[in-house]
Amino acid sequence: MIHYNMTTPSPDDPGAPLGFAKHDHHACVTDALSVAEARCAEEGLRLTPVRRKVLEILLREHRALGAYAILDLLREEGFGSQPPVAYRALDFLSENGFVHRIERLNAFVACTHADEAHSPAFMICRLCDTVAEAQSAPARGALGAAAKAAGFQIEKTVVEAEGLCPACVDKAAS
Amino acid sequence: MIHYNMTTPSPDDPGAPLGFAKHDHHACVTDALSVAEARCAEEGLRLTPVRRKVLEILLREHRALGAYAILDLLREEGFGSQPPVAYRALDFLSENGFVHRIERLNAFVACTHADEAHSPAFMICRLCDTVAEAQSAPARGALGAAAKAAGFQIEKTVVEAEGLCPACVDKAAS
DNA sequence: CCAATAGATGATACACTATAACATGACAAC
DNA sequence: GTTGTCATGTTATAGTGTATCATCTATTGG
C-alpha cells in the first residue's frame, strides 16, 4: 500500500514544491506545527524553541536541507550556531517522526504526515533536489521474505528513489 | 522477486560472513575477480591495478568499508594514499556494478553477483555492521505506482534495511 | 617514429558532515 | 535549597568527499 502525498492546490501561493504539487503552503506549515505541538503535549515531549524553529524552517523551505544550511538559518534568527545545536534538534525531531533524514543527500526534510505511524519512501530529483514523500511497507514484501529466510530481523528500512521530478522532466525535454 | 545471496558453505574456512552464511571465501574472491576481469575485457573497461586492488580488498574483507579504511589498506600495499585515489576507484567500480555504496553507512561493499544487472537491497546489522545483499525491484511495486502517479521518473533506487543479523540476534537473546 | 589526444593517477588543498567532551542553564522533585 | 535531569552553549576535532592542477601512460593518427 502506498499513499502519494498531495495537499490542496492553491493558485494564490506559488510557494515551494510539496511533493511535486502546488499547495497552500502557509496553511501547510502552520497546520503541521499545530499537529506537532499537539502530539508533543500528548506524549510529554518537549518541543523547545530550537526544536520548534528547526521544524518550522524545514516545513517552510519544503525541501531537503543539510544540517549546516539549517544552522545558517538558525543563526539568522538568533539561535546558537554551532553544529551540535542543529544536530540535537534534528535528532529529537527525527526520533519522533517529525522530520526524516535523506541518506542519499545527508539532509533532512519535514515529514508531511507526522501524525500517522509510517515507514516512508522518498523520491529525490537529482537536478533540483526536491523531495517527495510516499508511504510504503517494504518489509512486508520481497525484502521481508528475504530477511525471514536469512534470519535477519528488520527494524527500520530506508527507501529512496532518485530520478527526475515532473518539472525537471519537462525542462529536460525542451 | 527476490533472491537471497548465499554461496556454497565450506567447513574448512571459518572466514568472514558472506551475507550471513559461511562459505569458501578464497574461491569466492578469486571467482568474483575473474568475473570482473572477463566483463571488463568484454566491455572495454579498464580494470587497472588500483581498481582491481580496491575490488580485491572489498571482496576479501567481505563487509562494508569506508573510503578511508580502504585507503589505509591501499597504502599498505604500496598504492597512493590520498582520498581521490580511493574515491576514483570506487566511482569506477560502482558505476559498473562491481561494488555498491551503502548510504546508511557511508561505506562500500563488493557486489556478490556482479554479472547480472540488478537493483540491490541490503540488510545491515546495526551491531556488527555486516551487510547482506538481496535482489529486489522496488520500482515495480508500490513505489513505482506512486512515482507514476506523481510523474516522477525513477532512475535508481536505494533499499537498505537496518536490524539484527542472525548472529547478533542470538547474542542478544543470551 | 613522433605528435596529439584521452584516460588514469599523484598530490595539495579544501569543503562539507558529524560527534566528543565539557560547561552552563532551566526546571521539577524531594 | 539541594539534587537530578534534560536541554543548550561552546570548543575542538573526527570523518567523509571534491576541486584543481600536474604528471604519466597508452593509444591512435600522421
Side-chain angles (χ1 to χ4, degrees):
Chain A
M1 201 272 299
I2 199 152
H3 160 68
Y4 177 61
N5 169 47
M6 198 177 295
T7 52
T8 323
S10 158
D12 59 276
D13 179 7
L18 159 65
F20 307 119
K22 303 204 167 176
H23 62 287
D24 180 344
H25 191 48
H26 183 268
C28 143
V29 170
T30 54
D31 288 359
L33 278 172
S34 303
V35 169
E37 266 166 11
R39 198 153 77 72
C40 285
E42 247 175 58
E43 303 182 17
L45 302 172
R46 296 172 56 181
L47 190 61
T48 61
V50 199
R51 292 169 177 175
R52 196 191 140 95
K53 180 56 77 180
V54 169
L55 178 56
E56 187 194 315
I57 286 170
L58 283 173
L59 285 165
R60 202 171 59 205
E61 296 287 328
H62 234 313
R63 61 198 168 93
L65 288 183
Y68 282 68
I70 293 170
L71 210 50
D72 289 343
L73 296 171
L74 279 179
R75 182 177 11 251
E76 285 174 16
E77 314 221 19
F79 291 86
S81 59
Q82 297 308 312
V85 173
Y87 281 105
R88 287 194 284 234
L90 289 166
D91 282 350
F92 169 85
L93 293 169
S94 59
E95 270 166 23
N96 294 290
F98 298 119
V99 313
H100 298 296
R101 179 183 168 82
I102 307 295
E103 300 290 342
R104 177 89 189 161
L105 302 176
N106 295 330
F108 303 83
V109 283
C111 178
T112 47
H113 37 279
D115 44 342
E116 321 154 27
H118 60 294
S119 100
F122 300 97
M123 295 177 270
I124 306 164
C125 180
R126 73 171 153 82
L127 290 183
C128 69
D129 275 7
T130 302
V131 173
E133 180 177 349
Q135 275 283 67
S136 78
R140 312 215 172 246
L143 181 57
K148 193 171 176 188
F152 183 90
Q153 288 187 358
I154 295 179
E155 293 172 347
K156 181 192 166 182
T157 58
V158 171
V159 179
E160 297 175 3
E162 183 175 332
L164 293 181
C165 74
C168 287
V169 167
D170 291 348
K171 258 182 273 173
S174 66
Chain B
M1 200 270 302
I2 198 150
H3 160 65
Y4 178 60
N5 169 47
M6 198 175 295
T7 51
T8 323
S10 159
D12 60 277
D13 179 6
L18 159 66
F20 307 118
K22 301 202 170 178
H23 62 288
D24 180 343
H25 191 48
H26 183 267
C28 144
V29 170
T30 53
D31 288 0
L33 279 172
S34 304
V35 169
E37 265 167 12
R39 199 154 76 73
C40 284
E42 247 176 59
E43 302 181 18
L45 302 171
R46 297 172 56 180
L47 191 60
T48 61
V50 200
R51 293 170 177 176
R52 197 192 138 96
K53 181 56 76 179
V54 170
L55 179 55
E56 187 195 315
I57 286 170
L58 284 173
L59 285 165
R60 202 171 60 206
E61 296 286 328
H62 234 312
R63 60 199 169 93
L65 288 183
Y68 282 69
I70 293 170
L71 209 50
D72 288 342
L73 296 171
L74 279 179
R75 179 182 303 111
E76 285 175 16
E77 313 221 20
F79 291 86
S81 59
Q82 298 308 313
V85 173
Y87 281 104
R88 287 193 284 232
L90 289 166
D91 282 350
F92 169 85
L93 292 169
S94 60
E95 270 167 22
N96 294 289
F98 298 118
V99 313
H100 298 297
R101 179 183 168 83
I102 308 294
E103 301 290 344
R104 178 88 190 164
L105 302 177
N106 294 330
F108 303 82
V109 283
C111 179
T112 47
H113 38 278
D115 43 343
E116 321 154 26
H118 60 293
S119 101
F122 299 97
M123 295 177 270
I124 307 165
C125 180
R126 74 172 151 81
L127 291 183
C128 69
D129 276 7
T130 302
V131 173
E133 181 177 348
Q135 275 283 66
S136 78
R140 312 215 173 246
L143 182 58
K148 192 171 175 187
F152 184 89
Q153 287 187 359
I154 295 179
E155 292 171 348
K156 182 193 165 180
T157 59
V158 171
V159 179
E160 296 176 6
E162 184 176 332
L164 293 180
C165 73
C168 288
V169 168
D170 290 349
K171 258 182 275 173
S174 67

